[in-house]
Amino acid sequence: MRIHLYEYSIQKGLPRSGAPPQIPRMQRGLPQQRQIQDVKKVIAVSSAKGGVGKSTIAANLAIAFALQGLRSGILDTDIFGPSIPILFNLNGEPRLSTRNQLLPLSNYGVKTMSMGYLVGEDAPVVWRGLMVMKALQQLLHEVEWGGLDALVLDLPPGTGDTQLTITQQIKLDGAIVVSTPQDIALRDAMKGINMFQKVSVPVLGMVQNMSVFVCPHCHQSTHIFGSEGVAKKCREHGIRLLGDIPLDARICDDADRGKPTVISEPKSEQAKAFTLLADSIRQEISV
């Protein structure tokens, strides 16, 4: 009997609900999940939708962890559009350890790794899927982190090969999903939540980004993208609202100059929002 390629991929990669939980992963055609060496906790930051500020939140979160005394790292898993080198004001090719592992580049007390360090700043990554997956596997398993309490994974948009490879190959302690309150972003965010639930990754909660704009002149608050979108979805689906990040031009400016808000403006309301987010996640994963 012929099986449609799409159905075959679903059977191999994302088992249908109702699949017997006692069947070992290898018998279901899935690779064995592994811990990332010398890393205690791994948190995936996802959005499923591009342009909602996920990488900026991931960077501020990793730095907030470091400022709280954790040994913190961030791994940029976006092969085609890496952002971490810009956000951390880092460049240069990583050196190799004596064990032939990539050594992270560090700034602001955070160890970082990204495909952006391995290709030119303006060089496009024009690769087919197999090459992308090989590069991703190397980033996941061939970096010498040197002991971390928490590693933040900055995932690319979508729910495709990269997300599936990560959830199949490493043990995630949880995922957070970032969205603006706008319905068009929330629709994709819910797809991301459903993906994590389907592959048995705990969803720690959602983060509402760009929630409210406070005019610096008249101090009037305006909900440009809506006010309760993410909070409403959290209530409907029994998901925790982990954080609420305001819409502020300074967050964007800080990111563009490679000095995220928790470093450049540590006493600001924006920085406090990122710190509260870090506190909420630490409660969820006990770190």
Side-chain angles (χ1 to χ4, degrees):
M1 181 178 65
R2 297 181 63 186
I3 300 178
H4 192 277
L5 180 60
Y6 174 75
E7 292 185 355
Y8 177 81
S9 66
I10 291 294
Q11 291 170 8
K12 290 296 185 183
L14 292 172
R16 298 180 186 279
S17 59
Q22 69 272 18
I23 297 178
R25 291 178 61 84
M26 291 300 290
Q27 292 183 24
R28 300 202 327 254
L30 299 176
Q32 287 291 96
Q33 289 179 324
R34 290 191 282 163
Q35 294 279 101
I36 295 181
Q37 190 170 2
D38 296 329
V39 175
K40 291 183 180 179
K41 300 289 184 178
V42 182
I43 309 106
V45 179
S46 174
S47 65
K49 184 77 172 178
V52 297
K54 167 188 55 60
S55 294
T56 299
I57 287 177
N60 278 281
L61 175 62
I63 298 172
F65 284 154
L67 293 174
Q68 293 174 345
L70 299 183
R71 297 172 298 169
S72 177
I74 188 166
L75 175 59
D76 190 347
T77 64
D78 193 337
I79 303 298
F80 296 107
S83 301
I84 295 308
I86 295 173
L87 287 163
F88 280 82
N89 193 28
L90 289 169
N91 57 63
E93 189 169 333
R95 295 181 294 110
L96 293 177
S97 72
T98 55
R99 298 191 300 154
N100 207 36
Q101 302 277 294
L102 291 168
L103 292 172
L105 277 62
S106 298
N107 201 4
Y108 310 128
V110 177
K111 294 181 179 180
T112 77
M113 183 52 62
S114 171
M115 178 57 64
Y117 301 142
L118 303 173
V119 297
E121 182 177 348
D122 298 320
V125 179
V126 189
W127 292 351
R128 294 188 183 275
L130 289 176
M131 292 180 67
V132 173
M133 292 305 102
K134 177 61 177 175
L136 180 60
Q137 289 170 16
Q138 290 178 319
L139 291 176
L140 292 172
H141 300 300
E142 297 180 21
V143 176
E144 194 168 302
W145 292 106
L148 295 179
D149 297 310
L151 176 64
V152 176
L153 302 188
D154 181 20
L155 271 59
T159 56
D161 283 350
T162 297
Q163 290 79 3
L164 192 57
T165 297
I166 290 170
T167 57
Q168 288 179 348
Q169 292 208 2
I170 64 172
K171 294 182 178 179
L172 293 173
D173 294 281
I176 69 173
V177 178
V178 178
S179 179
T180 64
Q182 189 178 11
D183 184 63
I184 196 169
L186 276 167
R187 288 175 184 268
D188 284 340
M190 294 312 300
K191 293 176 184 177
I193 288 172
N194 291 335
M195 176 201 70
F196 285 120
Q197 292 175 338
K198 188 169 288 189
V199 295
S200 302
V201 172
V203 177
L204 304 179
M206 295 186 72
V207 179
Q208 182 166 258
N209 196 24
M210 308 182 197
S211 59
V212 61
F213 171 74
V214 179
C215 177
H217 306 292
C218 69
H219 306 292
Q220 181 177 346
S221 298
T222 304
H223 296 277
I224 294 175
F225 296 108
S227 59
E228 286 291 314
V230 176
K232 182 179 178 182
K233 286 292 182 184
C234 286
R235 290 193 296 268
E236 289 176 356
H237 296 273
I239 298 169
R240 183 179 176 184
L241 179 61
L242 293 168
D244 202 328
I245 311 298
L247 176 63
D248 193 298
R250 289 171 293 182
I251 295 177
C252 178
D253 292 340
D254 294 339
D256 286 345
R257 62 192 177 98
K259 197 173 183 180
T261 301
V262 290
I263 290 292
S264 62
E265 302 176 74
K267 297 186 183 299
S268 66
E269 290 301 314
Q270 308 91 271
K272 290 178 184 177
F274 289 120
T275 301
L276 288 173
L277 172 60
D279 291 339
S280 297
I281 293 172
R282 290 185 64 181
Q283 291 173 7
E284 291 290 330
I285 62 174
S286 301
V287 65

